[in-house]
Amino acid sequence: MKHRITVAGREFSLFQMTWPVFIELLLQMLVGSIDQVMLSQYNHTAVAAVGNANQIMTTLILAFNVISLAATIMLSQFLGAQEPEKAEQIYSLATGLNLLISLVLTGLLLIGADTILRIMQVPADAFAEAKSYMLITTLSLPCQALMLTFSAFLRAHAKMFVIMCITGLINIINILGNMALIYGLGPFPSLGAAGAAISTSICRTFGMIFMIIAFYRSIPGVHIRLRNYRNISKNLFRRFIYIGLPSGGETLSYNLSQSVSLIFVNMMGTYAVTTRMYTLLFAQVCYMLISAVSQSASIIIGYCVGAQEFDTADRQNWQVLKVFTPISIGISIIVAIFAGPLFGLFSSDPQVIALGRQVFWVEVVLELGRSFNIVLVRNLQAVGDVAFPVVIGIASQWIIGVGLAYFLGIHLGLGLVGVWLAYAVDENLRGLIFSIRWKKGRWRQIKAV
């Protein structure tokens, strides 16, 4: 695989871009999962509570990712086309939109927390802790929005190492906060799920501050001002929304479908919810590498499209799939073989360990489709083919991912294994469809920014 590539007079190294993203994703996984891991030593209802609350929060945070992803795509194309004045307008547009969305979502969550948790059918023994966790973390949503926005700006400029360092720092802050506030350390009381929420909020606040400082130091001469909005043309705004809404729509649909299928899992009992949480944690390890590579490759492909170098973009896409899909599947097989001891690290419940073993062999099959989806959806978005992935995603995720999950898991009584079988069918079907879409090459005719 070619490690270095020159696009629009700029040299990129896929390896040098990827390894910081991989470390960043690893640390993000720790930030997102450390609450559940540390709470597993506190009590198992807290794990289920945080798992449910995080599913809701993750789905809503995707609204920020819609804007951030659109910013990354358009910035990489503008920078590839050497139009820095347009790039500066994107900085202001993305910052303002994400801040506004975060304030609206904060208000809605504070008002409707009880209703949302009841719709999710959160188990009664986990309801109070789930509500406490969600209300506290809601207050830091504006910080999360700005952190993701400025991270997108840095990513478009290939400043992956900077993002990795900041993610590592806030991960340390989160772990220290958890130690002090979940269990009670020194003068701090033992707060359980509420303590984890406070620590997460502090972590997001510092993350926002560090990302903003890093942006201005790494990319000098850039100014984000309110008056920049007057210079944004209607065509640029429409293009931004056209790219952003469908690009985020596929991921938003996926997470909403996951939230609905979580309702089915909640009906199976707390042990099934706990098993699901740990399975998702180990699954992240399996697809983390190909996710990191796909993020870096999509930036390069965005530059290629901006510079009208379509053959280079095509080669980059297939090389990533050929090299890294077998690695992801290999990792999932290793995890499946050692699933018993791995699940035993976090739970002594024999039901959780036995169910985790069964589910993870289904995960091996699921990883094949997910690897193709991760790479191809990002690359289709990077070249501007944004509507097709969301249309196929919505249809497959809801008809198969949700409908088949209910049929197998609830109607046929296969439980969590049935739900995972539905996920595997959904992922592999979409992977096949997106492969055909890319191979046909219609994306070459899409007008770049």
Side-chain angles (χ1 to χ4, degrees), residues 232-243:
I232 297 173
S233 67
K234 290 182 179 179
N235 285 335
L236 183 63
F237 181 79
R238 281 197 297 266
R239 182 68 179 171
F240 188 90
I241 297 301
Y242 171 76
I243 289 177

Side-chain angles (χ1 to χ4, degrees), residues 51-117:
N52 274 281
N54 269 339
Q55 183 65 55
I56 297 166
M57 298 301 292
T58 300
T59 301
L60 294 176
I61 286 172
L62 284 172
F64 313 144
N65 283 325
V66 168
I67 305 302
S68 300
L69 182 57
T72 302
I73 292 170
M74 292 192 71
L75 284 170
S76 63
Q77 292 191 7
F78 277 136
L79 294 170
Q82 300 183 12
E83 296 187 56
E85 70 284 351
K86 294 285 183 65
E88 188 154 316
Q89 294 179 29
I90 297 299
Y91 299 135
S92 299
L93 181 59
T95 303
L97 285 175
N98 258 349
L99 184 58
L100 177 62
I101 292 169
S102 69
L103 293 173
V104 172
L105 288 178
T106 297
L108 292 175
L109 278 175
L110 291 176
I111 294 170
D114 280 316
T115 302
I116 295 171
L117 291 171

Side-chain angles (χ1 to χ4, degrees), residues 289-416:
L289 176 60
I290 199 165
S291 182
V293 175
S294 71
Q295 288 190 36
S296 301
S298 66
I299 298 296
I300 296 173
I301 286 173
Y303 273 80
C304 290
V305 171
Q308 303 289 296
E309 297 183 21
F310 299 117
D311 289 340
T312 305
D314 186 50
R315 285 194 300 271
Q316 191 75 18
N317 173 74
W318 292 115
Q319 284 177 343
V320 168
L321 283 170
K322 181 180 178 180
V323 173
F324 293 97
T325 299
I327 296 175
S328 294
I329 296 172
I331 294 171
S332 66
I333 291 173
I334 293 171
V335 174
I337 292 171
F338 295 99
L342 288 172
F343 278 82
L345 292 173
F346 304 113
S347 176
S348 58
D349 187 339
Q351 280 186 297
V352 172
I353 296 171
L355 185 57
R357 281 200 198 100
Q358 295 175 338
V359 170
F360 222 88
W361 281 111
V362 182
E363 177 69 25
V364 173
V365 180
L366 187 153
E367 283 305 320
L368 173 61
R370 175 149 52 197
S371 296
F372 273 73
N373 287 327
I374 287 173
V375 174
L376 288 167
V377 169
R378 280 189 176 277
N379 290 347
L380 285 168
Q381 291 168 348
V383 300
D385 192 359
V386 292
F388 186 81
V390 72
V391 171
I392 297 300
I394 290 173
S396 180
Q397 290 156 8
W398 289 92
I399 295 172
I400 299 175
V402 174
L404 189 60
Y406 177 82
F407 179 75
L408 296 176
I410 303 298
H411 183 71
L412 294 185
L414 295 178
L416 191 63

Side-chain angles (χ1 to χ4, degrees), residues 164-197:
M164 180 198 74
C165 292
I166 294 173
T167 306
L169 188 56
I170 62 177
N171 187 47
I172 294 172
I173 293 171
N174 192 48
I175 293 173
L176 293 175
N178 280 344
M179 290 174 61
L181 297 172
I182 292 177
Y183 308 122
L185 188 67
F188 300 101
S190 176
L191 298 175

